[in-house]
Amino acid sequence: MTRVGVVGATGYAGAELVRILSGHPDVELTILTSRQYAEVPFAKVYPSMAGVVDLACKAYSPDQVCDMTDIVFTALPHKVPMEIVPELVRRGKKVVDLSADFRFSDVSKYESFYQPHAAKDLNEKAVYGLCEVYFDQIKDAAVIGNPGCYPTSMLLPLIPLLKKGFLDTRTIIADSKSGVSGAGRSLSLTAHFCEVHESFKAYKVAEHRHSPEMEEVLSREAGTQVNITFVPHLVPMIRGMLTTTYASLARKASAEDIRNCLADFYSGRPFVRLCADNSVPDTLHVRGTNYCDIGFKVDERNNRVVLISAIDNLVKGAAGQAVQNMNIMLGLNETAGLTGVPFPI
Amino acid sequence: MTRVGVVGATGYAGAELVRILSGHPDVELTILTSRQYAEVPFAKVYPSMAGVVDLACKAYSPDQVCDMTDIVFTALPHKVPMEIVPELVRRGKKVVDLSADFRFSDVSKYESFYQPHAAKDLNEKAVYGLCEVYFDQIKDAAVIGNPGCYPTSMLLPLIPLLKKGFLDTRTIIADSKSGVSGAGRSLSLTAHFCEVHESFKAYKVAEHRHSPEMEEVLSREAGTQVNITFVPHLVPMIRGMLTTTYASLARKASAEDIRNCLADFYSGRPFVRLCADNSVPDTLHVRGTNYCDIGFKVDERNNRVVLISAIDNLVKGAAGQAVQNMNIMLGLNETAGLTGVPFPI
Amino acid sequence: MTRVGVVGATGYAGAELVRILSGHPDVELTILTSRQYAEVPFAKVYPSMAGVVDLACKAYSPDQVCDMTDIVFTALPHKVPMEIVPELVRRGKKVVDLSADFRFSDVSKYESFYQPHAAKDLNEKAVYGLCEVYFDQIKDAAVIGNPGCYPTSMLLPLIPLLKKGFLDTRTIIADSKSGVSGAGRSLSLTAHFCEVHESFKAYKVAEHRHSPEMEEVLSREAGTQVNITFVPHLVPMIRGMLTTTYASLARKASAEDIRNCLADFYSGRPFVRLCADNSVPDTLHVRGTNYCDIGFKVDERNNRVVLISAIDNLVKGAAGQAVQNMNIMLGLNETAGLTGVPFPI
Amino acid sequence: MTRVGVVGATGYAGAELVRILSGHPDVELTILTSRQYAEVPFAKVYPSMAGVVDLACKAYSPDQVCDMTDIVFTALPHKVPMEIVPELVRRGKKVVDLSADFRFSDVSKYESFYQPHAAKDLNEKAVYGLCEVYFDQIKDAAVIGNPGCYPTSMLLPLIPLLKKGFLDTRTIIADSKSGVSGAGRSLSLTAHFCEVHESFKAYKVAEHRHSPEMEEVLSREAGTQVNITFVPHLVPMIRGMLTTTYASLARKASAEDIRNCLADFYSGRPFVRLCADNSVPDTLHVRGTNYCDIGFKVDERNNRVVLISAIDNLVKGAAGQAVQNMNIMLGLNETAGLTGVPFPI
């Protein structure tokens, strides 16, 4: 059975990896690392896991991780992965990295939004792990740059329409709304209960660094440079992300045209669900799941299309898609470990 | 002292009127009506008011209302006001109506989105009660069509820029997010706690009937027909509305230009606050107040401006603006009754 | 494979049964009934289930249910089950009933708190489905009266101590707090978002009809009549129930004595977790799971013990325990279908 | 006009003091101090106050505070006030201290639960500021030990019954539930949104250091030593505290007896409201107000009474009662500055 480790297991994305991997039928979770909680039982950090996850967290040691795993998930702050992943790969491990470090084809973009890149060679071999779009490349990849939650929610509805030339690429606006878990487990006033429970606000208006990640992928798929306006907002709920994307139509298109385009592209893909006519995505419907629900509306009067997509930011937006990537890399059933029945509420 | 009545006092907007008017220094609240709670003490319907509001609700009787009031607020479902307001006005009462019935200059627009209008003559005399824009007309009005919460939040940041020609009027997109109180007190699954507490979703995508109200005002102020794409969303919080509006710039404009335009227009207006640079509106900051907080960002790369505005949907978006209208109509201090110090959290 | 039906599938307990049974490895979900949603696809009522649950709801027909099932869950309002369950049993079906109809040994108690009982004979054969306590009787039962959520949360920590004579049975006070899903999916102001989101209150103070259910079981286990004071409260969260139980000690007992008593009684029982010293149960830790977490504190100064227990009211407090009962009745692994890894948040 | 200062203005209790004092008709807020935000405008720390509170925070300087004020509120962590308050008093300032430092008559109790007391002489002159009970002493006090939120909510319903001998003083159990603002503005996992939003839990079970504060007052009023069992819990809401108190009756008492006792004691007291029969307190009804709502139930079967009280922990449980104390000390109307009309929701 494939042995799996999670480096950075006690942040929210890491803990969600632990949840999914602990219930995965085809892999064995063998090691968890955490700087902050070294030598602490994982179930003490997350008591919901008592009796289910028996591992204690370890300080990170490359030797130990390499000895105990075949594939490694790195759920760490940006910059740390590019320093440790190269060694893991050199020693034959497959890696799914949840940071931004291996998401960019164009390293200069990464460097202008983050910092100098310390593993450019490896970055060239990394594959952007948007599973529904880059399935074939993922199969053979050694390193996956797992997409961010905002890009995932925004790219999935857009790419099929872009590829078919439906959209005026100069007009794309993405208005995203994220649950608070996206801010992570690190303490901050932004996630302090009393400051957020009856609050709704935007942040990093039109300057969020997820835009370049989105634009690189959109440009590649559109075959032309695509710039977007992207505004993220914070919703007083734990999990969930909804993105409302607006674009002018490049040519006449009916609701049926749009539906067919999306349905064709995602035909047979287990984790994308098209909403029925007259219904719209709701983060409640994807909570705890790896689904991306997509709905849309053609605004004929204004010759625009409105795309709406909902994901769980911690699952399809992070740990779930990471496991989906692992499944593809290992040749497992793509849905393995990701088939828990959704909660009704 | 001016005598005031609230017709439809037990819905959320009505109850908020009762709150504000009970604390108003220059008027006396004399009668509350409620179909559902006739003869029930108001403080039994809203126990927070025990010991503060002593009135019992009455069934609606035009004679009684006319005998006991000088000015009347109607907080009723669309269609009911146009049937009862004409008589009130005929008998010399001033009226602030919180429904859509008297918001449209062009009755045919009202009729195409709502129903046949039963009081067209009176409608011609009604004034759209967006206080910061139509102050002078409001002073002399007998009937006010109090703006909807969505239009209020969206019009206030847009109108100054539109009037100065900054915006390409074909490109306006408004993405709004409302707290659940906007759905009212009537029971529905949409406002059922378990279905909304961890949910974020859009509704009435690009078809909400607030758009025509917005478009009529925008067109009037811009001097040209303006169509918009408007998408409302539901946020799991009680009060608050945030609207993110996107528009392409019609001409080069710096952040300073935008700031100056907004600051000039709202100079001396007590309820519009411009956010400092690098800060953004948050519904938490306006909760329980009549403020509209406005922030913006110029997206130079895309030649767009992003406007963000926050209001309390029940106050500046309903009852607070209604009282502000009353103050203006009666020649009182515009802020009377609306100066409660905001809560820190 | 055992065929299973859920009668009353669209309330919250019914929907949770559908969730658990859809993922159960050893049974097949064959029929769902709903009065309100007859002929509507279940996934239209609960869109999270789209692509996972393909059944449409049916109006209830005893013939159809009997033809298609081996075991039936009835998740219906009190009174309805006692009218339909007898026929199901006569036709050879096993039944787990989630109402109060088959929870009382002493029918007269049921009748004094609910209504005349229409199936007294069958009631005599019914077994109270508190799995950790009545495992042996459940194995052979034809009908299970599945315990209420309040009784489950309160009985599990109390029974071991009562049986060992630690407690003064005249001093038991249970202060319970329930998430809003306990109020069900029926619309009411009590569960209307704006009335509950920033609200905490008690209800049915010392008169809730779960008390007699609790007292019957406690008296049976203590071997003497036990009366309690029980006060339920409503917490602004979706799922979860926490009960704080106070009792005077009948004899000197240390924390270690209490711990040993609880640990012995629940040794080997998969769904009861004792909290470590200095830690306490939290509804967050059992959300979505069939666990009952138990903690306690000996208040030596006052010679009292404080017991605290947390469950998910919809799982261990309803659907989860119902499935656990089914597993025991069918001779399956007691945990089958109930082993989903808990969420970290 | 009396000049007022707030020392420690940027914690939640301090900010709530700023809110109330800014709207107070008879005092002028002249200085705010904050260690963390020295020289930062208060409205930058709490943007809701923009345009309302113009003061900037200052580092604490006794000279400056003494020069600019007649009365001082200290909203600081325990231990700091006993170091700075003596000087303020020596220089002729009246002080309302919101910490525990001046709440205990018996300094040795304070010392056993907190730390050595540095201002024992002054402590002897301090008055416990439970306004409805110690009105006469407060009038002449130089220093007030403002009660904690838990003691306030628990003492108000209990004291009248204790004084009249209704209760068996050996049987008092208080089960309290507090909104998250009680944890303050300091960052901690306990108040981290994702860890609390769907969580309900107890903490410091039967060991909270508010118990000795409660017991000292109860003993004084009962004329005999009273020990209680006290368990606080955390509710996922911002503001509000509900305490459910259980006690055996020392003598036969009907609901009418209890009601009369409470009604007599609080006759004419503006901030205590007795709930009507068959209705119960709800934190929603007191949110943002200085009210304490009290309800009760006589559990005849068990010869117990259940008392339920609701307050806003930041108002009657902290800043509101502090201002009420100031009003009494200054001979103002007791309700001055505290008469804002409650919100319906």
Side-chain angles (χ1 to χ4, degrees):
Chain A
M1 194 173 264
T2 305
R3 299 166 308 153
V4 178
V6 177
V7 176
T10 57
Y12 287 151
E16 191 73 358
L17 280 166
V18 173
R19 175 183 74 80
I20 297 170
L21 294 166
S22 295
H24 196 291
D26 305 317
V27 304
E28 185 191 4
L29 191 57
T30 54
I31 183 165
L32 308 178
T33 82
S34 166
R35 202 174 38 181
Q36 189 181 354
Y37 294 104
E39 301 312 316
V40 179
F42 184 80
K44 210 156 176 192
V45 185
Y46 288 100
S48 66
M49 304 282 191
V52 180
V53 174
D54 291 332
L55 297 170
C57 300
K58 301 288 175 196
Y60 178 72
S61 141
D63 286 348
Q64 197 177 25
V65 167
C66 287
D67 282 356
M68 298 181 67
T69 65
D70 303 305
I71 184 164
V72 180
F73 293 86
T74 43
L76 298 163
H78 307 308
K79 191 174 183 189
V80 182
M82 63 186 177
E83 285 160 4
I84 70 170
V85 170
E87 177 174 4
L88 295 173
V89 173
R90 206 160 46 236
R91 293 168 72 167
K93 307 304 159 188
K94 287 174 184 289
V95 176
V96 180
D97 176 44
L98 281 77
S99 82
D101 286 5
F102 297 98
R103 289 180 191 158
F104 285 79
S105 291
D106 180 350
V107 160
S108 69
K109 281 243 181 70
Y110 175 90
E111 295 191 322
S112 70
F113 284 91
Y114 295 89
Q115 59 260 315
H117 203 294
K120 291 184 187 174
D121 288 355
L122 184 57
N123 189 64
E124 281 197 12
K125 298 177 197 142
V127 171
Y128 189 69
L130 189 66
C131 304
E132 282 72 16
V133 179
Y134 300 113
F135 188 94
D136 289 335
Q137 296 93 309
I138 293 165
K139 273 194 300 189
D140 303 320
V143 182
I144 295 291
N146 203 57
C149 47
Y150 285 119
T152 297
S153 75
M154 187 264 203
L155 292 170
L156 287 175
L158 262 184
I159 284 176
L161 301 180
L162 261 191
K163 289 176 83 89
K164 291 293 186 189
F166 279 108
L167 307 180
D168 179 342
T169 55
R170 300 158 306 174
T171 63
I172 300 173
I173 292 168
D175 188 291
S176 280
K177 300 89 174 174
S178 171
V180 181
S181 60
R185 207 185 198 208
S186 300
L187 301 177
S188 74
L189 264 189
T190 298
H192 200 56
F193 184 83
C194 297
E195 314 267 326
V196 66
H197 188 233
E198 279 277 306
S199 151
F200 186 88
K201 63 171 167 289
Y203 64 100
K204 296 190 181 163
V205 177
E207 64 180 34
H208 195 281
R209 58 190 184 184
H210 280 316
S211 308
E213 179 184 333
M214 295 170 179
E215 292 175 353
E216 182 178 79
V217 179
L218 290 175
S219 300
R220 182 161 63 224
E221 296 302 318
T224 180
Q225 177 63 30
V226 179
N227 288 345
I228 63 168
T229 297
F230 169 64
V231 180
H233 302 74
L234 197 64
V235 184
M237 62 184 182
I238 300 174
R239 288 162 177 260
M241 172 168 288
L242 191 119
T243 296
T244 312
T245 303
Y246 303 86
S248 295
L249 290 165
R251 52 182 170 94
K252 209 73 194 163
S254 67
E256 202 187 343
D257 295 333
I258 302 295
R259 172 167 294 279
N260 287 342
C261 174
L262 291 165
D264 285 354
F265 193 92
Y266 291 114
S267 168
R269 305 302 298 143
F271 292 121
V272 175
R273 300 190 294 196
L274 279 193
C275 292
D277 290 335
N278 301 319
S279 80
V280 286
D282 183 332
T283 62
L284 180 67
H285 302 157
V286 297
R287 192 167 48 146
T289 80
N290 201 47
Y291 289 115
C292 177
D293 282 1
I294 298 177
F296 68 91
K297 172 89 179 190
V298 176
D299 177 10
E300 290 174 17
R301 243 175 20 129
N302 291 301
N303 196 39
R304 266 183 209 117
V305 66
V306 183
L307 297 163
I308 305 180
S309 48
I311 60 172
D312 183 320
N313 55 303
L314 292 180
V315 189
K316 185 61 177 171
Q321 184 153 254
V323 171
Q324 188 182 355
N325 273 303
M326 176 194 79
N327 289 342
I328 297 170
M329 293 163 91
L330 297 178
L332 302 173
N333 187 328
E334 187 178 351
T335 65
L338 296 166
T339 57
V341 181
F343 285 83
I345 56 165
Chain B
M1 194 174 263
T2 305
R3 300 166 307 154
V4 178
V6 177
V7 176
T10 57
Y12 287 150
E16 191 73 357
L17 280 166
V18 173
R19 175 183 75 79
I20 297 170
L21 293 167
S22 296
H24 196 292
D26 304 317
V27 303
E28 185 192 3
L29 192 57
T30 54
I31 183 165
L32 308 177
T33 82
S34 167
R35 203 175 39 183
Q36 191 181 352
Y37 294 104
E39 304 311 316
V40 179
F42 184 80
K44 209 153 178 196
V45 184
Y46 288 99
S48 67
M49 304 281 192
V52 180
V53 175
D54 291 332
L55 298 169
C57 300
K58 301 289 174 195
Y60 178 72
S61 141
D63 286 347
Q64 197 176 26
V65 167
C66 286
D67 283 355
M68 300 181 65
T69 65
D70 303 306
I71 184 164
V72 180
F73 292 86
T74 44
L76 299 163
H78 306 309
K79 192 174 182 189
V80 182
M82 63 186 176
E83 284 161 4
I84 69 170
V85 170
E87 177 174 4
L88 296 173
V89 173
R90 207 160 44 238
R91 294 170 71 168
K93 307 304 160 190
K94 288 174 183 290
V95 176
V96 179
D97 176 44
L98 281 78
S99 82
D101 285 6
F102 296 98
R103 289 181 192 157
F104 285 80
S105 291
D106 180 351
V107 160
S108 68
K109 282 242 180 71
Y110 176 89
E111 295 192 321
S112 70
F113 284 92
Y114 295 88
Q115 60 260 314
H117 202 292
K120 291 184 188 175
D121 288 354
L122 184 58
N123 189 63
E124 281 197 12
K125 298 175 196 144
V127 171
Y128 189 69
L130 190 65
C131 304
E132 281 73 17
V133 180
Y134 301 113
F135 188 94
D136 290 333
Q137 296 94 309
I138 292 165
K139 272 195 300 187
D140 303 319
V143 182
I144 295 293
N146 202 59
C149 47
Y150 285 119
T152 297
S153 75
M154 187 265 203
L155 292 170
L156 287 176
L158 261 185
I159 284 176
L161 301 180
L162 260 192
K163 288 175 84 87
K164 291 293 186 190
F166 279 108
L167 307 180
D168 179 342
T169 56
R170 300 158 306 175
T171 62
I172 300 173
I173 292 168
D175 188 291
S176 280
K177 302 88 175 174
S178 172
V180 182
S181 60
R185 208 187 196 206
S186 300
L187 302 176
S188 74
L189 264 188
T190 298
H192 200 58
F193 184 83
C194 298
E195 314 267 327
V196 66
H197 189 233
E198 279 278 304
S199 150
F200 185 88
K201 62 170 169 290
Y203 66 99
K204 296 191 180 160
V205 178
E207 63 179 35
H208 195 280
R209 58 190 184 183
H210 280 316
S211 309
E213 180 184 334
M214 296 170 180
E215 291 176 354
E216 183 177 78
V217 179
L218 291 175
S219 300
R220 184 161 60 222
E221 298 302 319
T224 181
Q225 177 61 32
V226 178
N227 289 345
I228 64 169
T229 297
F230 170 63
V231 180
H233 301 74
L234 198 63
V235 184
M237 63 184 180
I238 299 174
R239 288 163 177 259
M241 171 168 289
L242 193 119
T243 296
T244 313
T245 303
Y246 303 86
S248 295
L249 290 166
R251 54 185 170 92
K252 209 74 193 160
S254 66
E256 202 186 343
D257 295 333
I258 302 295
R259 172 168 293 280
N260 287 342
C261 175
L262 291 166
D264 285 354
F265 194 91
Y266 291 115
S267 169
R269 308 298 300 141
F271 293 122
V272 174
R273 298 189 295 197
L274 280 193
C275 293
D277 290 336
N278 300 320
S279 81
V280 286
D282 182 332
T283 62
L284 180 67
H285 301 158
V286 297
R287 193 167 48 145
T289 81
N290 200 48
Y291 289 115
C292 176
D293 282 2
I294 299 178
F296 68 91
K297 173 89 180 191
V298 176
D299 178 10
E300 290 173 18
R301 244 176 18 131
N302 292 300
N303 196 40
R304 263 182 212 120
V305 66
V306 183
L307 298 163
I308 306 180
S309 48
I311 60 173
D312 183 320
N313 55 304
L314 292 180
V315 190
K316 185 60 178 170
Q321 184 153 252
V323 171
Q324 189 182 355
N325 273 302
M326 178 194 76
N327 290 341
I328 297 170
M329 294 164 90
L330 297 178
L332 303 172
N333 187 327
E334 187 177 351
T335 65
L338 297 166
T339 57
V341 181
F343 285 83
I345 56 165
Chain C
M1 195 174 261
T2 305
R3 299 166 308 154
V4 179
V6 176
V7 176
T10 57
Y12 287 151
E16 191 74 357
L17 281 166
V18 173
R19 174 183 75 82
I20 298 171
L21 294 166
S22 296
H24 196 292
D26 305 317
V27 304
E28 183 191 5
L29 191 57
T30 53
I31 183 166
L32 308 178
T33 82
S34 166
R35 202 175 37 181
Q36 190 182 354
Y37 295 103
E39 302 312 317
V40 179
F42 183 80
K44 211 155 174 194
V45 184
Y46 288 99
S48 67
M49 304 282 191
V52 180
V53 175
D54 291 333
L55 297 170
C57 300
K58 301 288 176 197
Y60 178 71
S61 142
D63 286 349
Q64 197 177 25
V65 167
C66 287
D67 282 357
M68 299 180 66
T69 65
D70 303 306
I71 185 164
V72 179
F73 293 86
T74 44
L76 299 162
H78 307 308
K79 191 172 182 192
V80 182
M82 65 187 176
E83 284 160 6
I84 69 170
V85 169
E87 177 173 4
L88 296 173
V89 173
R90 205 160 46 238
R91 293 168 72 166
K93 306 304 160 189
K94 287 174 184 290
V95 176
V96 180
D97 176 44
L98 281 76
S99 83
D101 286 6
F102 296 98
R103 289 180 190 157
F104 285 79
S105 291
D106 180 350
V107 160
S108 69
K109 282 243 182 68
Y110 175 89
E111 295 191 322
S112 70
F113 283 91
Y114 295 89
Q115 60 259 314
H117 202 293
K120 292 183 186 173
D121 288 355
L122 184 57
N123 189 63
E124 281 198 11
K125 297 175 198 146
V127 171
Y128 189 70
L130 190 65
C131 304
E132 282 73 16
V133 179
Y134 300 114
F135 188 94
D136 290 334
Q137 296 93 310
I138 292 164
K139 272 195 300 190
D140 304 318
V143 182
I144 295 292
N146 202 58
C149 46
Y150 285 119
T152 297
S153 75
M154 187 264 202
L155 292 170
L156 288 175
L158 262 185
I159 284 175
L161 301 180
L162 261 192
K163 289 176 83 90
K164 291 293 186 189
F166 278 108
L167 307 180
D168 179 342
T169 56
R170 300 159 306 175
T171 63
I172 300 172
I173 292 168
D175 188 292
S176 280
K177 300 88 175 175
S178 173
V180 182
S181 60
R185 207 186 198 210
S186 300
L187 301 178
S188 74
L189 265 188
T190 299
H192 199 58
F193 184 83
C194 298
E195 314 268 327
V196 66
H197 189 232
E198 278 278 307
S199 152
F200 185 88
K201 63 172 168 288
Y203 65 98
K204 296 191 181 161
V205 177
E207 63 179 35
H208 196 281
R209 59 191 184 184
H210 280 316
S211 309
E213 179 184 335
M214 295 169 178
E215 291 175 353
E216 183 177 81
V217 179
L218 290 175
S219 300
R220 183 162 63 224
E221 297 302 318
T224 182
Q225 177 62 31
V226 178
N227 288 345
I228 64 168
T229 297
F230 170 63
V231 180
H233 302 73
L234 197 64
V235 185
M237 62 184 181
I238 299 174
R239 289 163 178 259
M241 171 168 287
L242 191 120
T243 295
T244 313
T245 303
Y246 303 86
S248 295
L249 290 165
R251 52 184 170 92
K252 209 73 192 163
S254 67
E256 200 186 346
D257 295 333
I258 302 296
R259 171 168 296 280
N260 288 341
C261 174
L262 291 165
D264 286 354
F265 193 90
Y266 291 114
S267 168
R269 306 300 298 142
F271 293 120
V272 175
R273 300 190 294 196
L274 279 192
C275 293
D277 290 336
N278 300 321
S279 80
V280 286
D282 183 332
T283 62
L284 180 68
H285 302 157
V286 296
R287 193 167 48 145
T289 81
N290 200 48
Y291 288 115
C292 176
D293 281 2
I294 297 177
F296 69 90
K297 173 89 179 191
V298 177
D299 176 11
E300 289 173 17
R301 244 177 17 131
N302 292 301
N303 196 39
R304 267 184 208 115
V305 67
V306 183
L307 298 162
I308 305 179
S309 49
I311 60 172
D312 183 321
N313 55 303
L314 292 180
V315 189
K316 185 61 177 171
Q321 184 153 252
V323 171
Q324 188 183 355
N325 272 302
M326 177 194 77
N327 289 342
I328 298 170
M329 293 163 91
L330 298 178
L332 303 172
N333 187 328
E334 187 178 352
T335 65
L338 298 165
T339 56
V341 181
F343 285 83
I345 55 164
Chain D
M1 196 173 259
T2 305
R3 299 166 308 154
V4 178
V6 177
V7 175
T10 57
Y12 287 150
E16 191 73 358
L17 281 166
V18 174
R19 174 182 75 80
I20 297 171
L21 294 166
S22 296
H24 196 292
D26 304 318
V27 303
E28 186 192 3
L29 192 57
T30 53
I31 183 165
L32 308 177
T33 83
S34 167
R35 202 174 39 183
Q36 191 181 354
Y37 295 103
E39 302 311 315
V40 179
F42 184 80
K44 209 154 176 195
V45 185
Y46 289 99
S48 67
M49 304 282 192
V52 181
V53 175
D54 290 333
L55 297 169
C57 301
K58 301 288 174 197
Y60 178 72
S61 142
D63 286 347
Q64 196 176 26
V65 167
C66 287
D67 283 355
M68 299 181 66
T69 66
D70 303 306
I71 184 164
V72 179
F73 293 86
T74 44
L76 299 162
H78 307 308
K79 192 172 182 191
V80 183
M82 62 187 178
E83 285 160 5
I84 70 169
V85 169
E87 178 174 2
L88 295 174
V89 173
R90 205 160 46 237
R91 294 170 71 167
K93 308 304 160 190
K94 288 176 183 288
V95 176
V96 180
D97 176 44
L98 282 76
S99 83
D101 285 6
F102 297 97
R103 289 180 191 157
F104 285 80
S105 291
D106 181 350
V107 160
S108 69
K109 282 242 181 71
Y110 175 90
E111 295 191 321
S112 70
F113 285 91
Y114 295 88
Q115 60 260 316
H117 202 293
K120 292 184 188 172
D121 289 353
L122 184 57
N123 190 63
E124 281 197 12
K125 298 176 196 145
V127 171
Y128 189 68
L130 190 65
C131 304
E132 282 73 17
V133 179
Y134 300 113
F135 188 95
D136 289 334
Q137 297 93 308
I138 293 164
K139 273 194 299 190
D140 303 319
V143 182
I144 296 292
N146 202 58
C149 47
Y150 286 120
T152 296
S153 75
M154 188 264 202
L155 292 170
L156 287 176
L158 261 184
I159 284 175
L161 301 179
L162 261 191
K163 287 176 84 87
K164 291 292 185 190
F166 278 109
L167 306 181
D168 180 340
T169 56
R170 299 159 305 175
T171 63
I172 300 173
I173 292 167
D175 188 291
S176 281
K177 301 88 175 175
S178 173
V180 182
S181 60
R185 208 185 197 210
S186 300
L187 301 177
S188 74
L189 263 188
T190 299
H192 200 58
F193 184 84
C194 297
E195 314 266 326
V196 67
H197 188 232
E198 279 277 306
S199 151
F200 186 88
K201 61 171 169 290
Y203 65 99
K204 296 191 180 160
V205 178
E207 63 180 34
H208 195 281
R209 58 190 183 182
H210 280 316
S211 309
E213 179 184 334
M214 294 170 180
E215 291 176 352
E216 183 177 80
V217 178
L218 291 174
S219 301
R220 182 162 62 223
E221 297 302 318
T224 181
Q225 177 62 31
V226 179
N227 289 344
I228 64 169
T229 297
F230 169 64
V231 180
H233 302 74
L234 197 64
V235 185
M237 61 185 181
I238 298 174
R239 288 164 177 258
M241 171 169 288
L242 193 120
T243 296
T244 312
T245 304
Y246 304 85
S248 295
L249 290 165
R251 53 185 170 92
K252 208 73 192 161
S254 66
E256 202 186 343
D257 296 334
I258 302 295
R259 171 167 294 279
N260 287 341
C261 175
L262 291 166
D264 285 354
F265 193 91
Y266 291 114
S267 168
R269 307 299 300 141
F271 293 122
V272 175
R273 299 189 296 196
L274 280 193
C275 293
D277 291 335
N278 300 320
S279 81
V280 286
D282 183 331
T283 62
L284 180 66
H285 301 157
V286 298
R287 193 168 47 145
T289 81
N290 200 47
Y291 288 115
C292 176
D293 282 2
I294 298 178
F296 68 90
K297 172 90 180 192
V298 177
D299 177 10
E300 290 173 18
R301 243 175 20 130
N302 292 302
N303 196 40
R304 265 184 210 117
V305 66
V306 183
L307 297 162
I308 306 179
S309 49
I311 60 172
D312 182 321
N313 55 303
L314 292 181
V315 189
K316 185 61 177 171
Q321 184 153 251
V323 171
Q324 189 182 356
N325 273 303
M326 177 195 76
N327 289 341
I328 297 169
M329 294 163 91
L330 297 179
L332 303 173
N333 187 327
E334 188 177 352
T335 64
L338 297 165
T339 57
V341 181
F343 285 83
I345 55 166

